[in-house]
Amino acid sequence: MKTILTWVVLQALWTTSMFAQGALTVNVTGFETDKGHCKIWLFNSADGFPSDDKKALRCVEVPIEELTSLFVFDRLPAGNYALGVVHDENGNHRLDYNLFRIPREAYGISNDARGGVSGPPTFEQAILRVPPTGLTVTVNVR
């Protein structure tokens, strides 16, 4: 009987920790205007990062109020994630570029990661480690 009870308790603890879910609260700042929307892409892998909404785990559009946006990704399993954010001023639901593939709209990446001559930042540079208890981050667009 004691062995069965121990097994049940251990099984319950293992299952709870395996499926622990928290929230990732994203506060976006740095907007110069409230015009348009804030688009946030949440990725759990490098595939498509930082702005391919077809490959993002989740993608949301959030209103901009008083030059900030706030969104909570709830029921998120603990793990590694990265964020891509864009100020979609013209409402076309994507990040616009100029002729030289330089973004024309303000954008931000988790960990304030920035790309360079070789292109956008990597997923590894932008990783957020979200624990089961959740995490709050600020992403600045510029």
Side-chain angles (χ1 to χ4, degrees), residues 4 22 27 30 37-38 41 47 58-59 71 77 83 95 111 117 123:
I4 293 173
N27 182 33
H37 287 89
C38 172
W41 293 277
D47 191 25
R58 297 186 195 169
C59 181
F71 188 79
L83 297 165
L95 176 60
N111 290 335
V117 177
F123 178 80

Side-chain angles (χ1 to χ4, degrees), residues 31-37 63-68 87 89:
F31 297 106
E32 293 183 2
T33 176
D34 288 346
K35 180 182 174 189
H37 287 89
I64 301 167
E65 297 174 358
E66 299 180 15
L67 305 180
T68 64
H87 182 185
E89 285 190 70

Side-chain angles (χ1 to χ4, degrees), residues 1-136:
M1 181 69 170
K2 189 175 181 181
T3 304
I4 293 173
L5 182 59
T6 302
W7 182 84
V8 169
V9 169
L10 288 174
Q11 189 72 14
L13 289 172
W14 178 78
T15 303
T16 302
S17 64
M18 184 176 159
F19 297 105
Q21 296 184 340
L24 175 58
T25 302
V26 182
N27 182 33
V28 184
T29 62
F31 297 106
E32 293 183 2
T33 176
D34 288 346
K35 180 182 174 189
H37 287 89
C38 172
K39 188 156 184 165
I40 305 172
W41 293 277
L42 175 69
F43 289 86
N44 62 351
S45 75
D47 191 25
F49 180 79
S51 62
D52 186 345
D53 57 351
K54 292 175 182 68
K55 295 182 179 180
L57 179 64
R58 297 186 195 169
C59 181
V60 297
E61 282 188 359
V62 185
I64 301 167
E65 297 174 358
E66 299 180 15
L67 305 180
T68 64
S69 286
L70 180 71
F71 188 79
V72 179
F73 291 99
D74 59 354
R75 292 180 275 127
L76 196 62
N80 293 332
Y81 299 92
L83 297 165
V85 177
V86 66
H87 182 185
D88 184 19
E89 285 190 70
N90 61 7
N92 66 352
H93 311 289
R94 66 174 189 229
L95 176 60
D96 295 324
Y97 297 91
N98 69 15
L99 184 63
F100 301 103
R101 296 289 299 161
I102 297 171
R104 289 191 300 161
E105 295 174 301
Y107 71 95
I109 305 292
S110 48
N111 290 335
D112 204 24
R114 287 287 164 185
V117 177
S118 61
T122 66
F123 178 80
E124 289 72 25
Q125 292 172 309
I127 283 179
L128 301 169
R129 293 181 193 342
V130 179
T133 55
L135 180 67
T136 299

